Amino acid sequence: MIHAENDIPDLSGRIALVTGATSGLGLEASRMLAGAGARVLMRGRSAEKGEAALSKIAGTQPPGTISFHCMDLASLDDVAASAAAIAGELDHLDILINNAGIMAPPKRLTTRDGFEAQFGTNHLAHFALTGHLLPLLRKSTAPRVISVASLAALFGKINFDDLQAERGYSDMGVYSQSKLANLLFINEFARRSADHGWNVTALATHPGLSRTSLFKKTPEEMGFADRLGRLFSPFFSQSAADGALPLVAAATDPDARPGDYYGPGHFWGLKGPPKKAGQPKAAGHLETARRLWEVSEQLTGLRYPDR
């Protein structure tokens, strides 16, 4: 088990792609992977933040290499174009960490494709990105896909009658739905990988309560989740680096098995070194996972292969 950065195995020759890599968990995960020798492809929306992130990691003089290119998960066209560019650059991909996300904006927002922003970005965009990159992943000797969920998934429910929250918006309700969707996606991916011979290991992780951009919002930008986070932060939160360790553990732990869920091991999963955690009961509903997969294929226009 990966308990600290020193436990990360040698990743020389491995190629990893991390979304949401310009700050917080994604930045720290990218730094750790490069520090273990991996070639890390960092993705985010802002070129300026990307350059700053590259400079920060380069300052640690990692043995691996890093690069950054913009990708906007709020646009399925941009996701497809970015994946095509990656396919033109690489002959395989070893690790895909679907980390980027939006958390509980007070007002309902939409992506360029008209999807509710949290469901569209946190789930649908990563569903599409993984599908586009699946051929590259299958060319690796031991590929892994990791989705970053949240403890909020415990309170999630997939509302198939109003997936886009058009008839009623709750910031944490919709966020929790998107995080449950991340777990359902990973579990269904693991089943289909086994059934169709994709040979890609799918895992999930959560960072507990980590001090990331959640704590940098102005009072006007803060929703319920932000206020709750700030209330409990001094006692139960951890740094972004500690919060990123479960992500890296899922990506590199030699004892990982398909469908494993990694999270902090102390204080009800809020902080502490990584360990394998139990998923919410709702994440194990096979019919819900299958239906969400089929709906996601319809909404994204992307069909995964049967073999």
Side-chain angles (χ1 to χ4, degrees), residues 21 55 150 270:
S55 296
S150 166
L270 293 174

Side-chain angles (χ1 to χ4, degrees), residues 207-247:
L209 183 58
S210 300
R211 297 187 294 274
T212 60
S213 58
L214 169 69
F215 296 90
K216 298 178 181 179
K217 294 181 180 180
T218 66
E220 292 76 17
E221 295 173 321
M222 289 171 60
F224 172 77
D226 307 306
R227 299 178 190 281
L228 188 64
R230 286 195 179 181
L231 177 64
F232 289 104
S233 170
F235 308 101
F236 298 115
S237 68
Q238 60 186 0
S239 68
D242 288 337
L245 272 173
L247 282 66

Side-chain angles (χ1 to χ4, degrees), residues 76 113 115 119-120 123-124 127-128 163-164 292-302:
L76 291 180
D113 303 291
F115 303 126
F119 185 74
H123 170 62
L124 290 176
F127 178 92
L163 276 176
Q164 309 303 331
L292 178 64
W293 185 283
E294 293 175 352
V295 169
S296 300
E297 285 190 329
Q298 294 169 4
L299 292 174
T300 61
L302 177 71

